[in-house]
Amino acid sequence: MARPLTLYYAPFSRASRGLWMLEELDEPYALRLIDIRKGEQKRPEFLAINPAGKVPALRDGDRTVAESAAICAYLADRFPDAKLAPAADAPERAAYLTWLFYAASNIEPAVMARANKWDVSAYQASWGGYESVIDNIAGAVRRGPYLLGPQFTAADVILGSMVRFGVSAKLIPNRPEFTAYIAHLEARPALQRAIKIEAEYVAQLKT
Ligand SMILES: N[C@@H](CCC(=O)N[C@@H](CS)C(=O)NCC(=O)O)C(=O)O
């Protein structure tokens, strides 16, 4: 039986990843706006959903998933007809999981460390240093159009969101590999819809 999907969402936040993922699916969903500027993410009602006090979180009926990468992976597995993840026994599953986890656990700390001039040795840091992370992801998207080649997956929602944001914020260099990757992502109708929905929410918050 269908369960209602609700994304706890704030525009211009990491919740945009969940919105894009939901737009890639042909499933009804609702957005529940959490105004993080007003601290709604720290209220007891929301902490009962995500004790970390962060957006995004997803409700699927009575089930809750938090963390943007987990939400995207969950939705890809929950709705296999959308083909947003290789099947568990498909050969491509290995690279899919590698990039999903690599993006979620390495890119943000590497970029934060660089931007904030944290003095961490590349040997000790789990991400291994900013340059090696950038080289690694550039190598991963070089073949294109997506991480796994022709198949777009939830790993592209996560990595792609980070690369799009990182390049636009000048936290990730605008290498030709990233420009081409971003162009492929931005050609997707689902991302275009998500960007439009986000703009409408931003306009709504300003009024
Ligand atoms: N690792 C989390 C990070 C989520 C996160 O950092 N959310 C921010 C918005 S981008 C947030 O809720 N900030 C409000 C706060 O910490 O009070 C994910 O990927 O979902």
Side-chain angles (χ1 to χ4, degrees):
M1 199 177 85
R3 295 189 291 262
L5 289 172
T6 303
L7 181 71
Y8 291 78
Y9 166 80
F12 288 144
S13 78
R14 291 168 179 92
S16 307
R17 301 167 187 172
L19 172 60
W20 176 11
M21 183 69 192
L22 283 164
E23 282 296 322
E24 293 283 351
L25 300 168
D26 192 17
E27 300 294 331
Y29 69 88
L31 289 182
R32 178 80 61 84
L33 189 65
I34 300 295
D35 193 337
I36 57 176
R37 298 163 315 164
K38 289 188 183 154
E40 288 177 4
Q41 72 282 17
K42 307 298 183 204
R43 292 192 186 151
E45 312 86 89
F46 184 73
L47 291 175
I49 290 159
N50 183 10
K54 297 258 183 198
V55 291
L58 178 84
R59 290 278 283 175
D60 176 11
D62 58 359
R63 302 169 193 188
T64 305
V65 195
E67 288 295 318
S68 54
I71 289 169
C72 293
Y74 175 87
L75 287 170
D77 288 348
R78 165 105 165 79
F79 300 102
D81 289 351
K83 298 199 179 336
L84 293 169
D89 59 351
E92 296 79 14
R93 184 81 176 180
Y96 165 75
L97 288 177
T98 300
W99 288 112
L100 189 61
F101 281 76
Y102 184 85
S105 53
N106 294 282
I107 299 175
E108 291 205 21
V111 165
M112 289 295 281
R114 163 60 63 103
N116 292 293
K117 300 187 172 52
W118 294 342
D119 188 17
V120 189
S121 89
Y123 179 73
Q124 283 176 322
S126 62
W127 57 94
Y130 177 83
E131 275 81 13
S132 72
V133 169
I134 299 300
D135 286 346
N136 201 14
I137 56 177
V141 300
R142 188 167 295 134
R143 173 177 58 144
Y146 305 119
L147 269 170
L148 302 186
Q151 188 187 2
F152 175 87
T153 69
D156 290 296
V157 175
I158 293 302
L159 180 80
S161 297
M162 292 178 183
V163 170
R164 279 185 76 238
F165 172 77
V167 169
S168 74
K170 299 194 177 1
L171 296 167
I172 291 180
N174 197 3
R175 289 198 190 173
E177 295 95 329
F178 298 141
T179 311
Y181 183 49
I182 291 169
H184 289 303
L185 298 175
E186 291 183 348
R188 295 187 69 78
L191 177 54
Q192 291 167 8
R193 287 194 299 276
I195 290 170
K196 192 162 172 282
I197 293 167
E198 182 146 271
E200 285 162 7
Y201 270 91
V202 170
Q204 195 180 309
L205 284 176
K206 280 185 185 153
T207 55

